[in-house]
């Protein structure tokens, strides 16, 4: 996606060999025009699928997901990361292990928002090790719903998440695929010459 790549090159910062900072338009300040284009891009990529619901994870997955939801004309559900004392029944839960933080967190979705009739598009801002996407797939499975696909804004192709999800049979569509962040340089997968 051209506009996204330009944004990443102009406003993104390779913080290290593995971490890309994009808080100017995605993770803190949000660019609404870019989000609208991202929503349209997801609609194009998954145009052949009959999507009934979008599932994401708070917080940074919400903005692109809402714009995609608008395009598909379906509701958007976000998994919660924080436990709620009042909402402990009727929850579908899954664990997400963070390699960077070396901790495991439980995410939760109220079961009333997913049914066996649903064909779900999972969306997230980043794909690194694939732990978050894997947990969302598990929640869809628990609801007896189908995962129609996984839409990612920025995939870090040098980390194993994309490979893991694709070899598990999932259709993963990433709007930008980064092949390297080495030496402060941001490189995209399509630009890598064999
Ligand atoms: P890991 O697989 O590499 O260990 O990453 P981890 O699951 O620990 O992800 C922790 C958070 O960092 C996630 O957001 C994830 O989306 C995000 N993340 C992963 N790689 C990058 C990156 O290169 N750049 C940026 N900016 N974020 C990255 P989160 O904690 O769920 O936060 P949020 O959704 O509220 O933003
Ligand atoms: Na996220
Ligand atoms: Na994030």
């Amino acid at each position: 996606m051209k506009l996204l790549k330009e944004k990443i090159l102009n406003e993104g910062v390779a913080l290290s060999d593995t971490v890309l900072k994009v808080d100017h338009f995605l993770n803190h300040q949000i660019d609404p025009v870019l989000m609208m284009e991202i929503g349209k891009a997801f609609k194009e990529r998954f145009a052949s699928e009959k999507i009934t619901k979008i599932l994401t994870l708070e917080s940074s997955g919400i903005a692109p997901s809402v714009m995609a939801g608008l395009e598909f004309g379906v509701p958007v559900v976000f998994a919660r990361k924080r436990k709620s004392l009042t909402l402990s029944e009727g929850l579908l839960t899954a664990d997400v292990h963070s390699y960077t933080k070396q901790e495991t967190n439980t995410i939760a979705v109220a079961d009333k928002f997913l049914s066996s009739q649903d064909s779900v598009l999972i969306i997230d801002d980043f794909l690194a090790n694939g732990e978050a996407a894997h947990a969302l797939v598990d929640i869809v499975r628990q609801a007896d719903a189908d995962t129609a696909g996984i839409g990612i804004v920025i995939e870090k192709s040098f980390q194993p998440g994309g490979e893991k999800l694709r070899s598990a049979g999932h259709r993963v569509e990433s709007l930008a695929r980064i092949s390297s962040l080495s030496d402060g340089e941001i490189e995209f997968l399509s630009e890598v010459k064999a």
Side-chain angles (χ1 to χ4, degrees), residues 143-194:
D144 286 325
D146 285 329
T147 293
I150 300 171
I152 299 293
V153 181
I154 303 173
E155 174 179 348
K156 293 185 289 181
S157 302
F158 54 88
Q159 291 184 299
E163 168 72 28
K164 278 195 280 187
L165 293 168
R166 290 183 180 101
S167 58
H170 293 292
R171 178 172 171 201
V172 182
E173 293 285 345
S174 302
L175 304 183
R177 298 179 79 187
I178 290 173
S179 59
S180 170
L181 293 171
S182 297
D183 306 319
E185 295 275 342
I186 301 167
E187 283 181 41
F188 295 100
L189 198 62
S190 55
E191 292 169 1
V192 176
K193 289 169 187 78

Side-chain angles (χ1 to χ4, degrees), residues 15-87:
L15 276 191
S16 69
D17 284 2
T18 55
V19 178
L20 175 68
K21 192 174 170 84
V22 285
D23 62 350
H24 279 72
F25 56 89
L26 182 59
N27 289 141
H28 195 5
Q29 175 170 264
I30 293 171
D31 182 331
V33 173
L34 177 65
M35 290 306 133
M36 193 175 69
E37 295 302 323
I38 284 172
K40 288 178 186 165
F42 281 134
K43 178 72 180 36
E44 277 174 25
R45 303 264 187 134
F46 292 100
S48 63
E49 306 287 338
K50 189 192 73 66
I51 307 294
T52 64
K53 202 153 275 197
I54 291 171
L55 178 64
T56 188
L57 184 54
E58 65 173 340
S59 57
S60 299
I62 295 176
S65 294
V66 168
M67 300 318 260
L70 203 55
E71 294 294 326
F72 283 98
V74 302
V76 177
V77 179
F78 63 93
R80 292 183 172 273
K81 290 174 182 164
R82 280 164 290 278
K83 279 213 179 82
S84 162
L85 287 174
T86 54
L87 232 140

